[in-house]
Amino acid sequence: MFRRASVNFAVFSTFVDGLLIYNALMLSVYLRPFLPISPLIVQVSDYNIPFILYLLIPGLWLLTLIFSSLYDPNRIYKVVDELQQLLVASILSTLLTAGLL
């Protein structure tokens, strides 16, 4: 089993987060044509994004999570600290993704 303070756990967590981010992006692209719930949302019949964005967006999120020291067990002692770091990194990643698009 992985210890929380090991390098293997940090690499494993980064890899799993990258896969989850990639799958969330694919799911959002797939579900977008089925979500004209509001009259303010433009209905689309087919929605595709360029292939390079499937690499750039998860990479951007992972770099933001890594640079925010989210995977550093020596910096995070309590669950509240980890949730705070995760919230800040997610907001920053969201803004960076909007800027990229």
Side-chain angles (χ1 to χ4, degrees):
M1 195 67 199
F2 295 113
R3 290 181 298 143
R4 183 163 160 62
S6 71
V7 174
N8 290 337
F9 183 75
V11 171
F12 176 74
S13 298
T14 306
F15 180 73
V16 169
D17 284 346
L19 283 177
L20 290 173
I21 293 165
Y22 180 77
N23 288 336
L25 179 63
M26 287 182 53
L27 184 65
S28 67
V29 169
Y30 174 74
L31 290 178
R32 173 58 181 99
F34 303 112
L35 295 176
I37 299 169
S38 170
L40 301 176
I41 298 176
V42 177
Q43 185 172 0
V44 294
S45 59
D46 187 27
Y47 184 73
N48 292 323
I49 63 173
F51 176 73
I52 190 72
L53 289 179
Y54 285 107
L55 301 174
L56 287 177
I57 291 174
L60 181 70
W61 274 74
L62 286 177
L63 284 175
T64 306
L65 293 176
I66 290 169
F67 285 134
S68 67
S69 300
L70 194 66
Y71 300 114
D72 187 10
N74 297 328
R75 248 189 105 178
I76 299 174
Y77 297 112
K78 296 184 245 176
V79 175
V80 175
D81 295 337
E82 187 168 1
L83 290 176
Q84 182 180 9
Q85 285 292 114
L86 181 62
L87 180 68
V88 169
S90 297
I91 291 171
L92 182 61
S93 295
T94 303
L95 292 174
L96 289 173
T97 302
L100 175 72
L101 295 175

